[in-house]
Amino acid sequence: KAGVTQTPRYLIKTRGQQVTLSCSPISGHRSVSWYQQTPGQGLQFLFEYFSETQRNKGNFPGRFSGRQFSNSRSEMNVSTLELGDSALYLCASSLSTGGNTEAFFGQGTRLTVV
Amino acid sequence: AQSVTQLGSHVSVSEGALVLLRCNYSSSVPPYLFWYVQYPNQGLQLLLKYTSAATLVKGINGFEAEFKKSETSFHLTKPSAHMSDAAEYFCAVSGATGYALNFGKGTSLLVTP
């Protein structure tokens, strides 16, 4: 069974640009969550989608947005990139939504903003 | 709001020694607690989770954790450290609805020969 796939693995963008990251969950998983990992702030929750609906949202500015498609694949978009957006972005999928459900993480997309 | 605090950003143990990584939680309701491990340039892998079924939880790779409500703790232990255990370990908590994990700052485990 294939794991969570995130593309691309590495990305370099310039300040002011926008970027789209992709996440393909494990087959059959309907919940997809996104996290930002930085050395200073650690792992922070961005948002969660379940059946194409955003269920939870973290404390991030509106420049960060996401969506989920009918096949459960998800994309995350960051507009007007800032240097501080440089981070490892992790996607996690789970069978359902609910606090006790195990989340399976992808390897992440390393975004560098220059 | 639910949160966790990991005591010690870096822990060093000798190969074969006991591993103890500390995690305390703050929650007004019974929480769901998790331990994840992250190897360099990798995503997170679940070691174990507490969902109120049993206070002593056994996970993968010989790790286990005990939920102690009186101490609001969920410390991770392994009787004998192996070189391959060197990694970053994260404690996390989530609520009953939705899936938003709140992670601790992480503890980097170093295993020396």
PDB file of all heavy atoms in Angstrom, chain A residues 9 33 35 37 41 43 45 48 56 90 97-103 105-107, chain B residues 32 34 36 38 41-44 46 49 51 90 94-96 98-99 101 103 105:
ATOM      1  N   ARG A   9       9.405  17.494  -3.656  1.00  0.00           N
ATOM      2  CA  ARG A   9      10.125  17.326  -2.393  1.00  0.00           C
ATOM      3  C   ARG A   9      10.877  18.595  -1.998  1.00  0.00           C
ATOM      4  O   ARG A   9      10.990  18.911  -0.824  1.00  0.00           O
ATOM      5  CB  ARG A   9      11.128  16.176  -2.493  1.00  0.00           C
ATOM      6  CG  ARG A   9      10.532  14.796  -2.516  1.00  0.00           C
ATOM      7  CD  ARG A   9       9.898  14.405  -1.162  1.00  0.00           C
ATOM      8  NE  ARG A   9      10.721  14.648  -0.002  1.00  0.00           N
ATOM      9  CZ  ARG A   9      11.691  13.846   0.433  1.00  0.00           C
ATOM     10  NH1 ARG A   9      11.966  12.731  -0.230  1.00  0.00           N
ATOM     11  NH2 ARG A   9      12.379  14.141   1.513  1.00  0.00           N
ATOM     12  N   SER A  33      -4.428  16.527   6.480  1.00  0.00           N
ATOM     13  CA  SER A  33      -4.029  17.679   7.296  1.00  0.00           C
ATOM     14  C   SER A  33      -2.680  18.182   6.817  1.00  0.00           C
ATOM     15  O   SER A  33      -1.875  17.421   6.281  1.00  0.00           O
ATOM     16  CB  SER A  33      -3.908  17.279   8.771  1.00  0.00           C
ATOM     17  OG  SER A  33      -5.117  16.768   9.268  1.00  0.00           O
ATOM     18  N   TYR A  35       0.809  20.591   7.957  1.00  0.00           N
ATOM     19  CA  TYR A  35       1.581  21.162   9.045  1.00  0.00           C
ATOM     20  C   TYR A  35       2.795  21.884   8.476  1.00  0.00           C
ATOM     21  O   TYR A  35       3.363  21.482   7.469  1.00  0.00           O
ATOM     22  CB  TYR A  35       2.054  20.064  10.013  1.00  0.00           C
ATOM     23  CG  TYR A  35       0.930  19.390  10.752  1.00  0.00           C
ATOM     24  CD1 TYR A  35       0.209  18.356  10.168  1.00  0.00           C
ATOM     25  CD2 TYR A  35       0.569  19.804  12.031  1.00  0.00           C
ATOM     26  CE1 TYR A  35      -0.832  17.752  10.829  1.00  0.00           C
ATOM     27  CE2 TYR A  35      -0.485  19.201  12.712  1.00  0.00           C
ATOM     28  CZ  TYR A  35      -1.178  18.173  12.102  1.00  0.00           C
ATOM     29  OH  TYR A  35      -2.212  17.580  12.760  1.00  0.00           O
ATOM     30  N   GLN A  37       6.656  23.003   9.545  1.00  0.00           N
ATOM     31  CA  GLN A  37       7.717  22.721  10.516  1.00  0.00           C
ATOM     32  C   GLN A  37       8.890  23.655  10.284  1.00  0.00           C
ATOM     33  O   GLN A  37       9.479  23.672   9.201  1.00  0.00           O
ATOM     34  CB  GLN A  37       8.181  21.263  10.430  1.00  0.00           C
ATOM     35  CG  GLN A  37       9.196  20.896  11.510  1.00  0.00           C
ATOM     36  CD  GLN A  37       9.596  19.439  11.480  1.00  0.00           C
ATOM     37  OE1 GLN A  37       9.493  18.765  10.460  1.00  0.00           O
ATOM     38  NE2 GLN A  37      10.029  18.919  12.623  1.00  0.00           N
ATOM     39  N   GLN A  41       9.617  27.641  15.338  1.00  0.00           N
ATOM     40  CA  GLN A  41       8.235  27.433  15.797  1.00  0.00           C
ATOM     41  C   GLN A  41       7.850  25.971  15.941  1.00  0.00           C
ATOM     42  O   GLN A  41       6.796  25.656  16.495  1.00  0.00           O
ATOM     43  CB  GLN A  41       7.261  28.118  14.831  1.00  0.00           C
ATOM     44  CG  GLN A  41       7.428  29.615  14.735  1.00  0.00           C
ATOM     45  CD  GLN A  41       7.203  30.300  16.063  1.00  0.00           C
ATOM     46  OE1 GLN A  41       6.271  29.967  16.805  1.00  0.00           O
ATOM     47  NE2 GLN A  41       8.058  31.245  16.393  1.00  0.00           N
ATOM     48  N   LEU A  43       6.463  22.300  14.948  1.00  0.00           N
ATOM     49  CA  LEU A  43       5.388  21.803  14.097  1.00  0.00           C
ATOM     50  C   LEU A  43       4.097  22.540  14.419  1.00  0.00           C
ATOM     51  O   LEU A  43       3.620  22.498  15.542  1.00  0.00           O
ATOM     52  CB  LEU A  43       5.180  20.306  14.330  1.00  0.00           C
ATOM     53  CG  LEU A  43       6.173  19.384  13.638  1.00  0.00           C
ATOM     54  CD1 LEU A  43       6.296  18.077  14.392  1.00  0.00           C
ATOM     55  CD2 LEU A  43       5.704  19.111  12.202  1.00  0.00           C
ATOM     56  N   PHE A  45       0.026  23.294  13.141  1.00  0.00           N
ATOM     57  CA  PHE A  45      -1.102  22.848  12.341  1.00  0.00           C
ATOM     58  C   PHE A  45      -1.597  23.976  11.434  1.00  0.00           C
ATOM     59  O   PHE A  45      -1.805  25.106  11.890  1.00  0.00           O
ATOM     60  CB  PHE A  45      -2.220  22.393  13.278  1.00  0.00           C
ATOM     61  CG  PHE A  45      -3.532  22.115  12.606  1.00  0.00           C
ATOM     62  CD1 PHE A  45      -3.713  20.964  11.862  1.00  0.00           C
ATOM     63  CD2 PHE A  45      -4.584  23.006  12.723  1.00  0.00           C
ATOM     64  CE1 PHE A  45      -4.920  20.693  11.250  1.00  0.00           C
ATOM     65  CE2 PHE A  45      -5.795  22.754  12.120  1.00  0.00           C
ATOM     66  CZ  PHE A  45      -5.967  21.599  11.378  1.00  0.00           C
ATOM     67  N   GLU A  48      -7.101  21.177   8.137  1.00  0.00           N
ATOM     68  CA  GLU A  48      -7.505  19.801   7.893  1.00  0.00           C
ATOM     69  C   GLU A  48      -8.705  19.795   6.963  1.00  0.00           C
ATOM     70  O   GLU A  48      -9.621  20.620   7.097  1.00  0.00           O
ATOM     71  CB  GLU A  48      -7.904  19.089   9.187  1.00  0.00           C
ATOM     72  CG  GLU A  48      -8.372  17.654   8.957  1.00  0.00           C
ATOM     73  CD  GLU A  48      -9.394  17.173   9.980  1.00  0.00           C
ATOM     74  OE1 GLU A  48      -9.771  17.936  10.881  1.00  0.00           O
ATOM     75  OE2 GLU A  48      -9.817  16.006   9.857  1.00  0.00           O
ATOM     76  N   ASN A  56     -10.881  22.050  10.156  1.00  0.00           N
ATOM     77  CA  ASN A  56     -10.151  22.804  11.169  1.00  0.00           C
ATOM     78  C   ASN A  56      -9.135  23.702  10.491  1.00  0.00           C
ATOM     79  O   ASN A  56      -8.623  23.373   9.420  1.00  0.00           O
ATOM     80  CB  ASN A  56      -9.411  21.859  12.124  1.00  0.00           C
ATOM     81  CG  ASN A  56     -10.338  21.103  13.031  1.00  0.00           C
ATOM     82  OD1 ASN A  56     -10.842  21.635  14.004  1.00  0.00           O
ATOM     83  ND2 ASN A  56     -10.576  19.848  12.688  1.00  0.00           N
ATOM     84  N   LEU A  90       4.482  19.493   5.861  1.00  0.00           N
ATOM     85  CA  LEU A  90       4.123  18.081   5.974  1.00  0.00           C
ATOM     86  C   LEU A  90       2.633  17.886   5.792  1.00  0.00           C
ATOM     87  O   LEU A  90       1.822  18.658   6.296  1.00  0.00           O
ATOM     88  CB  LEU A  90       4.531  17.546   7.353  1.00  0.00           C
ATOM     89  CG  LEU A  90       6.038  17.447   7.613  1.00  0.00           C
ATOM     90  CD1 LEU A  90       6.299  17.271   9.093  1.00  0.00           C
ATOM     91  CD2 LEU A  90       6.643  16.311   6.822  1.00  0.00           C
ATOM     92  N   THR A  97     -11.905  11.563  10.327  1.00  0.00           N
ATOM     93  CA  THR A  97     -11.577  12.695  11.173  1.00  0.00           C
ATOM     94  C   THR A  97     -11.973  12.351  12.598  1.00  0.00           C
ATOM     95  O   THR A  97     -12.966  11.698  12.839  1.00  0.00           O
ATOM     96  CB  THR A  97     -12.290  13.974  10.680  1.00  0.00           C
ATOM     97  OG1 THR A  97     -11.849  15.083  11.437  1.00  0.00           O
ATOM     98  CG2 THR A  97     -13.801  13.846  10.799  1.00  0.00           C
ATOM     99  N   GLY A  98     -11.201  12.761  13.525  1.00  0.00           N
ATOM    100  CA  GLY A  98     -11.458  12.360  14.909  1.00  0.00           C
ATOM    101  C   GLY A  98     -10.141  12.300  15.636  1.00  0.00           C
ATOM    102  O   GLY A  98      -9.142  11.850  15.097  1.00  0.00           O
ATOM    103  N   GLY A  99     -10.128  12.737  16.880  1.00  0.00           N
ATOM    104  CA  GLY A  99      -8.876  12.902  17.592  1.00  0.00           C
ATOM    105  C   GLY A  99      -8.062  11.653  17.811  1.00  0.00           C
ATOM    106  O   GLY A  99      -6.851  11.737  17.997  1.00  0.00           O
ATOM    107  N   ASN A 100      -8.683  10.479  17.795  1.00  0.00           N
ATOM    108  CA  ASN A 100      -7.919   9.276  18.100  1.00  0.00           C
ATOM    109  C   ASN A 100      -7.483   8.523  16.852  1.00  0.00           C
ATOM    110  O   ASN A 100      -6.978   7.415  16.931  1.00  0.00           O
ATOM    111  CB  ASN A 100      -8.739   8.339  18.999  1.00  0.00           C
ATOM    112  CG  ASN A 100      -9.997   7.867  18.295  1.00  0.00           C
ATOM    113  OD1 ASN A 100     -10.416   8.468  17.305  1.00  0.00           O
ATOM    114  ND2 ASN A 100     -10.595   6.808  18.782  1.00  0.00           N
ATOM    115  N   THR A 101      -7.677   9.139  15.709  1.00  0.00           N
ATOM    116  CA  THR A 101      -7.330   8.469  14.460  1.00  0.00           C
ATOM    117  C   THR A 101      -5.862   8.660  14.144  1.00  0.00           C
ATOM    118  O   THR A 101      -5.344   9.761  14.229  1.00  0.00           O
ATOM    119  CB  THR A 101      -8.176   9.036  13.313  1.00  0.00           C
ATOM    120  OG1 THR A 101      -9.554   8.949  13.659  1.00  0.00           O
ATOM    121  CG2 THR A 101      -7.925   8.259  12.046  1.00  0.00           C
ATOM    122  N   GLU A 102      -5.202   7.586  13.759  1.00  0.00           N
ATOM    123  CA  GLU A 102      -3.778   7.675  13.445  1.00  0.00           C
ATOM    124  C   GLU A 102      -3.559   8.458  12.161  1.00  0.00           C
ATOM    125  O   GLU A 102      -4.241   8.221  11.159  1.00  0.00           O
ATOM    126  CB  GLU A 102      -3.177   6.278  13.298  1.00  0.00           C
ATOM    127  CG  GLU A 102      -1.693   6.298  12.936  1.00  0.00           C
ATOM    128  CD  GLU A 102      -1.093   4.923  12.849  1.00  0.00           C
ATOM    129  OE1 GLU A 102      -1.793   3.950  13.207  1.00  0.00           O
ATOM    130  OE2 GLU A 102       0.074   4.807  12.420  1.00  0.00           O
ATOM    131  N   ALA A 103      -2.610   9.368  12.192  1.00  0.00           N
ATOM    132  CA  ALA A 103      -2.240  10.140  11.017  1.00  0.00           C
ATOM    133  C   ALA A 103      -0.950   9.593  10.437  1.00  0.00           C
ATOM    134  O   ALA A 103      -0.006   9.309  11.176  1.00  0.00           O
ATOM    135  CB  ALA A 103      -2.066  11.609  11.381  1.00  0.00           C
ATOM    136  N   PHE A 105       2.128  10.401   7.896  1.00  0.00           N
ATOM    137  CA  PHE A 105       2.756  11.582   7.329  1.00  0.00           C
ATOM    138  C   PHE A 105       3.538  11.263   6.066  1.00  0.00           C
ATOM    139  O   PHE A 105       4.142  10.186   5.944  1.00  0.00           O
ATOM    140  CB  PHE A 105       3.703  12.221   8.346  1.00  0.00           C
ATOM    141  CG  PHE A 105       2.995  13.018   9.406  1.00  0.00           C
ATOM    142  CD1 PHE A 105       2.413  12.384  10.489  1.00  0.00           C
ATOM    143  CD2 PHE A 105       2.917  14.396   9.317  1.00  0.00           C
ATOM    144  CE1 PHE A 105       1.757  13.112  11.470  1.00  0.00           C
ATOM    145  CE2 PHE A 105       2.263  15.138  10.288  1.00  0.00           C
ATOM    146  CZ  PHE A 105       1.679  14.492  11.361  1.00  0.00           C
ATOM    147  N   GLY A 106       3.551  12.217   5.156  1.00  0.00           N
ATOM    148  CA  GLY A 106       4.421  12.155   4.006  1.00  0.00           C
ATOM    149  C   GLY A 106       5.817  12.632   4.376  1.00  0.00           C
ATOM    150  O   GLY A 106       6.068  13.027   5.522  1.00  0.00           O
ATOM    151  N   GLN A 107       6.721  12.615   3.405  1.00  0.00           N
ATOM    152  CA  GLN A 107       8.102  13.022   3.667  1.00  0.00           C
ATOM    153  C   GLN A 107       8.264  14.535   3.660  1.00  0.00           C
ATOM    154  O   GLN A 107       9.302  15.038   4.072  1.00  0.00           O
ATOM    155  CB  GLN A 107       9.036  12.372   2.647  1.00  0.00           C
ATOM    156  CG  GLN A 107       9.158  10.867   2.829  1.00  0.00           C
ATOM    157  CD  GLN A 107      10.252  10.284   1.962  1.00  0.00           C
ATOM    158  OE1 GLN A 107      10.201  10.410   0.732  1.00  0.00           O
ATOM    159  NE2 GLN A 107      11.241   9.673   2.561  1.00  0.00           N
TER     160      GLN A 107
ATOM    161  N   TYR B  32      -6.259  12.747  23.692  1.00  0.00           N
ATOM    162  CA  TYR B  32      -5.623  11.700  22.921  1.00  0.00           C
ATOM    163  C   TYR B  32      -4.161  12.121  22.783  1.00  0.00           C
ATOM    164  O   TYR B  32      -3.871  13.237  22.364  1.00  0.00           O
ATOM    165  CB  TYR B  32      -6.260  11.569  21.539  1.00  0.00           C
ATOM    166  CG  TYR B  32      -7.720  11.178  21.601  1.00  0.00           C
ATOM    167  CD1 TYR B  32      -8.718  12.043  21.155  1.00  0.00           C
ATOM    168  CD2 TYR B  32      -8.105   9.936  22.094  1.00  0.00           C
ATOM    169  CE1 TYR B  32     -10.055  11.690  21.218  1.00  0.00           C
ATOM    170  CE2 TYR B  32      -9.444   9.584  22.161  1.00  0.00           C
ATOM    171  CZ  TYR B  32     -10.419  10.464  21.722  1.00  0.00           C
ATOM    172  OH  TYR B  32     -11.738  10.113  21.777  1.00  0.00           O
ATOM    173  N   PHE B  34      -0.044  11.214  21.628  1.00  0.00           N
ATOM    174  CA  PHE B  34       0.735  10.485  20.639  1.00  0.00           C
ATOM    175  C   PHE B  34       2.220  10.766  20.837  1.00  0.00           C
ATOM    176  O   PHE B  34       2.613  11.828  21.323  1.00  0.00           O
ATOM    177  CB  PHE B  34       0.361  10.931  19.212  1.00  0.00           C
ATOM    178  CG  PHE B  34      -1.102  10.843  18.890  1.00  0.00           C
ATOM    179  CD1 PHE B  34      -1.978  11.840  19.294  1.00  0.00           C
ATOM    180  CD2 PHE B  34      -1.600   9.777  18.155  1.00  0.00           C
ATOM    181  CE1 PHE B  34      -3.338  11.774  18.993  1.00  0.00           C
ATOM    182  CE2 PHE B  34      -2.954   9.706  17.843  1.00  0.00           C
ATOM    183  CZ  PHE B  34      -3.819  10.693  18.263  1.00  0.00           C
ATOM    184  N   TYR B  36       5.523  10.625  18.202  1.00  0.00           N
ATOM    185  CA  TYR B  36       5.999  10.433  16.839  1.00  0.00           C
ATOM    186  C   TYR B  36       7.513  10.524  16.826  1.00  0.00           C
ATOM    187  O   TYR B  36       8.119  11.204  17.661  1.00  0.00           O
ATOM    188  CB  TYR B  36       5.446  11.519  15.904  1.00  0.00           C
ATOM    189  CG  TYR B  36       4.013  11.317  15.467  1.00  0.00           C
ATOM    190  CD1 TYR B  36       2.957  11.800  16.233  1.00  0.00           C
ATOM    191  CD2 TYR B  36       3.719  10.645  14.286  1.00  0.00           C
ATOM    192  CE1 TYR B  36       1.640  11.607  15.821  1.00  0.00           C
ATOM    193  CE2 TYR B  36       2.412  10.461  13.868  1.00  0.00           C
ATOM    194  CZ  TYR B  36       1.379  10.946  14.647  1.00  0.00           C
ATOM    195  OH  TYR B  36       0.080  10.762  14.231  1.00  0.00           O
ATOM    196  N   GLN B  38      10.867  11.315  14.134  1.00  0.00           N
ATOM    197  CA  GLN B  38      11.251  11.872  12.833  1.00  0.00           C
ATOM    198  C   GLN B  38      12.745  11.673  12.619  1.00  0.00           C
ATOM    199  O   GLN B  38      13.560  12.160  13.396  1.00  0.00           O
ATOM    200  CB  GLN B  38      10.900  13.358  12.753  1.00  0.00           C
ATOM    201  CG  GLN B  38      11.153  13.973  11.389  1.00  0.00           C
ATOM    202  CD  GLN B  38      10.747  15.437  11.327  1.00  0.00           C
ATOM    203  OE1 GLN B  38      10.866  16.179  12.295  1.00  0.00           O
ATOM    204  NE2 GLN B  38      10.249  15.877  10.174  1.00  0.00           N
ATOM    205  N   ASN B  41      15.399  14.418   7.369  1.00  0.00           N
ATOM    206  CA  ASN B  41      14.812  14.553   6.030  1.00  0.00           C
ATOM    207  C   ASN B  41      13.666  13.592   5.770  1.00  0.00           C
ATOM    208  O   ASN B  41      13.443  13.172   4.629  1.00  0.00           O
ATOM    209  CB  ASN B  41      15.892  14.368   4.959  1.00  0.00           C
ATOM    210  CG  ASN B  41      16.961  15.422   5.056  1.00  0.00           C
ATOM    211  OD1 ASN B  41      16.674  16.601   5.221  1.00  0.00           O
ATOM    212  ND2 ASN B  41      18.203  15.005   4.989  1.00  0.00           N
ATOM    213  N   GLN B  42      12.974  13.244   6.822  1.00  0.00           N
ATOM    214  CA  GLN B  42      11.828  12.348   6.694  1.00  0.00           C
ATOM    215  C   GLN B  42      10.587  12.970   7.332  1.00  0.00           C
ATOM    216  O   GLN B  42      10.671  13.963   8.056  1.00  0.00           O
ATOM    217  CB  GLN B  42      12.118  11.012   7.382  1.00  0.00           C
ATOM    218  CG  GLN B  42      13.279  10.240   6.793  1.00  0.00           C
ATOM    219  CD  GLN B  42      12.983   9.735   5.396  1.00  0.00           C
ATOM    220  OE1 GLN B  42      11.884   9.239   5.112  1.00  0.00           O
ATOM    221  NE2 GLN B  42      13.963   9.859   4.516  1.00  0.00           N
ATOM    222  N   GLY B  43       9.445  12.339   7.053  1.00  0.00           N
ATOM    223  CA  GLY B  43       8.226  12.751   7.724  1.00  0.00           C
ATOM    224  C   GLY B  43       8.179  12.152   9.115  1.00  0.00           C
ATOM    225  O   GLY B  43       9.181  11.662   9.634  1.00  0.00           O
ATOM    226  N   LEU B  44       7.006  12.184   9.735  1.00  0.00           N
ATOM    227  CA  LEU B  44       6.843  11.663  11.085  1.00  0.00           C
ATOM    228  C   LEU B  44       6.237  10.256  11.046  1.00  0.00           C
ATOM    229  O   LEU B  44       5.356   9.977  10.233  1.00  0.00           O
ATOM    230  CB  LEU B  44       5.920  12.575  11.893  1.00  0.00           C
ATOM    231  CG  LEU B  44       6.539  13.828  12.509  1.00  0.00           C
ATOM    232  CD1 LEU B  44       6.845  14.856  11.442  1.00  0.00           C
ATOM    233  CD2 LEU B  44       5.619  14.415  13.559  1.00  0.00           C
ATOM    234  N   LEU B  46       4.416   7.331  13.521  1.00  0.00           N
ATOM    235  CA  LEU B  46       3.776   7.119  14.814  1.00  0.00           C
ATOM    236  C   LEU B  46       4.450   5.984  15.578  1.00  0.00           C
ATOM    237  O   LEU B  46       4.621   4.886  15.050  1.00  0.00           O
ATOM    238  CB  LEU B  46       2.297   6.786  14.611  1.00  0.00           C
ATOM    239  CG  LEU B  46       1.493   6.548  15.898  1.00  0.00           C
ATOM    240  CD1 LEU B  46       1.344   7.867  16.677  1.00  0.00           C
ATOM    241  CD2 LEU B  46       0.119   5.973  15.581  1.00  0.00           C
ATOM    242  N   LYS B  49       0.120   5.526  20.623  1.00  0.00           N
ATOM    243  CA  LYS B  49      -0.911   6.507  20.943  1.00  0.00           C
ATOM    244  C   LYS B  49      -1.704   6.062  22.157  1.00  0.00           C
ATOM    245  O   LYS B  49      -1.873   4.859  22.408  1.00  0.00           O
ATOM    246  CB  LYS B  49      -1.846   6.728  19.764  1.00  0.00           C
ATOM    247  CG  LYS B  49      -2.689   5.514  19.382  1.00  0.00           C
ATOM    248  CD  LYS B  49      -3.628   5.862  18.219  1.00  0.00           C
ATOM    249  CE  LYS B  49      -4.493   4.655  17.853  1.00  0.00           C
ATOM    250  NZ  LYS B  49      -5.428   4.978  16.728  1.00  0.00           N
ATOM    251  N   THR B  51      -5.409   6.331  23.877  1.00  0.00           N
ATOM    252  CA  THR B  51      -6.787   6.713  23.602  1.00  0.00           C
ATOM    253  C   THR B  51      -7.714   6.267  24.723  1.00  0.00           C
ATOM    254  O   THR B  51      -8.883   6.024  24.505  1.00  0.00           O
ATOM    255  CB  THR B  51      -7.262   6.098  22.272  1.00  0.00           C
ATOM    256  OG1 THR B  51      -7.128   4.670  22.347  1.00  0.00           O
ATOM    257  CG2 THR B  51      -6.452   6.617  21.116  1.00  0.00           C
ATOM    258  N   PHE B  90       8.642  13.581  19.012  1.00  0.00           N
ATOM    259  CA  PHE B  90       7.615  14.581  19.273  1.00  0.00           C
ATOM    260  C   PHE B  90       6.445  13.964  20.014  1.00  0.00           C
ATOM    261  O   PHE B  90       5.918  12.922  19.612  1.00  0.00           O
ATOM    262  CB  PHE B  90       7.097  15.188  17.962  1.00  0.00           C
ATOM    263  CG  PHE B  90       8.104  15.992  17.206  1.00  0.00           C
ATOM    264  CD1 PHE B  90       8.896  15.400  16.232  1.00  0.00           C
ATOM    265  CD2 PHE B  90       8.270  17.344  17.476  1.00  0.00           C
ATOM    266  CE1 PHE B  90       9.838  16.136  15.530  1.00  0.00           C
ATOM    267  CE2 PHE B  90       9.209  18.088  16.782  1.00  0.00           C
ATOM    268  CZ  PHE B  90       9.992  17.487  15.818  1.00  0.00           C
ATOM    269  N   SER B  94      -4.336  15.710  20.729  1.00  0.00           N
ATOM    270  CA  SER B  94      -5.445  16.150  19.875  1.00  0.00           C
ATOM    271  C   SER B  94      -6.737  16.090  20.659  1.00  0.00           C
ATOM    272  O   SER B  94      -6.822  15.438  21.711  1.00  0.00           O
ATOM    273  CB  SER B  94      -5.560  15.288  18.618  1.00  0.00           C
ATOM    274  OG  SER B  94      -6.070  14.010  18.936  1.00  0.00           O
ATOM    275  N   GLY B  95      -7.739  16.767  20.132  1.00  0.00           N
ATOM    276  CA  GLY B  95      -9.026  16.790  20.787  1.00  0.00           C
ATOM    277  C   GLY B  95      -9.944  15.695  20.287  1.00  0.00           C
ATOM    278  O   GLY B  95      -9.546  14.866  19.484  1.00  0.00           O
ATOM    279  N   ALA B  96     -11.154  15.709  20.742  1.00  0.00           N
ATOM    280  CA  ALA B  96     -12.087  14.642  20.396  1.00  0.00           C
ATOM    281  C   ALA B  96     -12.637  14.781  18.989  1.00  0.00           C
ATOM    282  O   ALA B  96     -12.983  13.798  18.348  1.00  0.00           O
ATOM    283  CB  ALA B  96     -13.244  14.615  21.393  1.00  0.00           C
ATOM    284  N   GLY B  98     -12.345  16.530  15.035  1.00  0.00           N
ATOM    285  CA  GLY B  98     -11.398  17.091  14.085  1.00  0.00           C
ATOM    286  C   GLY B  98     -10.025  16.486  14.302  1.00  0.00           C
ATOM    287  O   GLY B  98      -9.807  15.723  15.230  1.00  0.00           O
ATOM    288  N   TYR B  99      -9.128  16.808  13.467  1.00  0.00           N
ATOM    289  CA  TYR B  99      -7.799  16.222  13.619  1.00  0.00           C
ATOM    290  C   TYR B  99      -6.746  17.302  13.551  1.00  0.00           C
ATOM    291  O   TYR B  99      -6.116  17.517  12.527  1.00  0.00           O
ATOM    292  CB  TYR B  99      -7.553  15.151  12.554  1.00  0.00           C
ATOM    293  CG  TYR B  99      -6.504  14.190  13.048  1.00  0.00           C
ATOM    294  CD1 TYR B  99      -6.863  13.062  13.750  1.00  0.00           C
ATOM    295  CD2 TYR B  99      -5.164  14.461  12.860  1.00  0.00           C
ATOM    296  CE1 TYR B  99      -5.920  12.206  14.262  1.00  0.00           C
ATOM    297  CE2 TYR B  99      -4.207  13.609  13.365  1.00  0.00           C
ATOM    298  CZ  TYR B  99      -4.581  12.482  14.060  1.00  0.00           C
ATOM    299  OH  TYR B  99      -3.649  11.632  14.561  1.00  0.00           O
ATOM    300  N   LEU B 101      -3.411  18.135  15.459  1.00  0.00           N
ATOM    301  CA  LEU B 101      -2.413  17.741  16.427  1.00  0.00           C
ATOM    302  C   LEU B 101      -1.640  18.952  16.915  1.00  0.00           C
ATOM    303  O   LEU B 101      -1.141  19.741  16.110  1.00  0.00           O
ATOM    304  CB  LEU B 101      -1.438  16.741  15.799  1.00  0.00           C
ATOM    305  CG  LEU B 101      -1.943  15.317  15.570  1.00  0.00           C
ATOM    306  CD1 LEU B 101      -0.989  14.568  14.657  1.00  0.00           C
ATOM    307  CD2 LEU B 101      -2.124  14.588  16.884  1.00  0.00           C
ATOM    308  N   PHE B 103       1.714  19.761  18.686  1.00  0.00           N
ATOM    309  CA  PHE B 103       2.970  19.093  18.958  1.00  0.00           C
ATOM    310  C   PHE B 103       3.782  19.830  20.008  1.00  0.00           C
ATOM    311  O   PHE B 103       3.715  21.061  20.134  1.00  0.00           O
ATOM    312  CB  PHE B 103       3.818  19.004  17.684  1.00  0.00           C
ATOM    313  CG  PHE B 103       3.344  17.982  16.698  1.00  0.00           C
ATOM    314  CD1 PHE B 103       2.437  18.324  15.704  1.00  0.00           C
ATOM    315  CD2 PHE B 103       3.818  16.676  16.751  1.00  0.00           C
ATOM    316  CE1 PHE B 103       2.002  17.380  14.791  1.00  0.00           C
ATOM    317  CE2 PHE B 103       3.389  15.734  15.832  1.00  0.00           C
ATOM    318  CZ  PHE B 103       2.476  16.084  14.856  1.00  0.00           C
ATOM    319  N   LYS B 105       7.745  20.766  21.326  1.00  0.00           N
ATOM    320  CA  LYS B 105       8.874  21.328  20.580  1.00  0.00           C
ATOM    321  C   LYS B 105       9.838  20.259  20.084  1.00  0.00           C
ATOM    322  O   LYS B 105      10.718  20.532  19.273  1.00  0.00           O
ATOM    323  CB  LYS B 105       9.625  22.324  21.453  1.00  0.00           C
ATOM    324  CG  LYS B 105       8.827  23.587  21.750  1.00  0.00           C
ATOM    325  CD  LYS B 105       8.580  24.400  20.505  1.00  0.00           C
ATOM    326  CE  LYS B 105       7.937  25.727  20.824  1.00  0.00           C
ATOM    327  NZ  LYS B 105       7.619  26.505  19.612  1.00  0.00           N
TER     328      LYS B 105
END
